[in-house]
Amino acid sequence: MTLAEMGRDDWARFTLCQRMQRYAVFAACALAVAWALGSIEIIWAWVWDAPVQMGDLFARMYPPDPTNLGTILRVLWETVNIATIATAFAVILALPVAYLAAQNTTPNQATLWLGRLILVTSRSVNTIIWALLFVAIFGPGIIAGIVAIMFRSIGFVGKLLGEAIEEIDKRPVEALEATGASRFKVIAYAIVPQVMPTFWAVAILRWDINLRESTVLGLVGAGGIGIILQGAIDTFNWREAAMVLLAILALVILGEIVSAWLRRRII
């Protein structure tokens, strides 16, 4: 028997009240977007002129200038080193923080909130802001870049590892504790084996992200390929800037290939 035959031909997915609520939410979002666009004082003449300016800029970039390719490749390798070293230190430092930030492994509430405070602080500050801070401390160079990316990565790695620790199967932990095993053995034989796949997945993913982030550190003096890019832009050497951008694109693609290969081999 159909709905019409049963006298229920007025069926609707949402009630009138639900539809009004949805319309109210849509209207509020539209008003928020309109308010945001009106408050940032967009110069619309520049917006409409942007396609012409982009075409002019691309014309100046063509063809890319490979004259300085040797230096670009050398600094590009420096960028890879920044990302790799920073990721390695971040993973090491994130392990104890993740242990403290997980509810089922932290010693007490004070250490729980300490671990979560570290994770929130690390993730709430952008890499460029960290880089500006450490350039002021260490001076321009790759040390500032490494420390900046490391501080940013601790929160990311620690957050995901902490969640992985909270989701482990408790039965192996309880079994070892019942035999009187020490806390170190419980961690080594009941917790670590369960979080190792997540550990490697997060480490590889963070290295891939750091590879991208390290390409812009040079814009604030923290080393890497961004220094050459900033210099080319400042001197209006658009053909060299195009060569740098192509090198960065090649690096990102290579990073994707390497990270995918590592996932297949390790995870």
Side-chain angles (χ1 to χ4, degrees), residues 56-215:
D56 178 65
L57 182 60
F58 289 149
R60 296 183 186 187
M61 286 183 170
Y62 183 81
D65 183 11
T67 305
N68 204 23
L69 184 58
T71 303
I72 292 173
L73 293 178
R74 178 179 58 80
V75 180
L76 204 64
W77 181 247
E78 180 181 280
T79 302
V80 175
N81 290 335
I82 291 174
T84 304
I85 296 171
T87 304
F89 280 110
V91 168
I92 294 172
L93 294 176
L95 290 175
V97 179
Y99 179 82
L100 295 177
Q103 293 186 14
N104 55 338
T105 56
T106 191
N108 51 61
Q109 284 294 318
T111 56
L112 174 66
W113 287 108
L114 174 62
R116 294 190 172 180
L117 176 63
I118 295 173
L119 298 182
V120 171
T121 303
S122 171
R123 290 183 294 117
S124 61
V125 180
N126 188 270
T127 306
I128 293 295
I129 306 301
W130 281 123
L132 287 170
L133 175 64
F134 290 115
V135 165
I137 296 173
F138 297 108
I142 62 173
I143 297 298
I146 290 173
V147 178
I149 290 186
M150 180 185 70
F151 267 70
R152 172 68 172 176
S153 302
I154 288 173
F156 179 91
V157 176
K159 172 71 172 177
L160 295 182
L161 286 181
E163 292 178 350
I165 292 173
E166 290 179 343
E167 295 172 358
I168 62 172
D169 186 355
K170 297 180 180 180
R171 289 174 295 182
V173 177
E174 294 171 352
L176 282 175
E177 289 176 344
T179 63
S182 64
R183 190 60 181 168
F184 175 79
K185 290 183 178 180
V186 171
I187 295 173
Y189 296 109
I191 298 177
V192 171
Q194 296 190 64
V195 300
M196 281 304 291
T198 302
F199 169 81
W200 288 114
V202 171
I204 294 170
L205 174 61
R206 190 63 217 184
W207 176 80
D208 192 20
I209 295 173
N210 288 343
L211 200 60
R212 293 169 171 78
E213 293 193 347
S214 61
T215 59

Side-chain angles (χ1 to χ4, degrees), residues 210-233:
N210 288 343
L211 200 60
R212 293 169 171 78
E213 293 193 347
S214 61
T215 59
V216 299
L217 293 177
L219 300 178
V220 294
I225 192 67
I227 293 178
I228 298 181
L229 178 61
Q230 185 65 53
I233 294 174

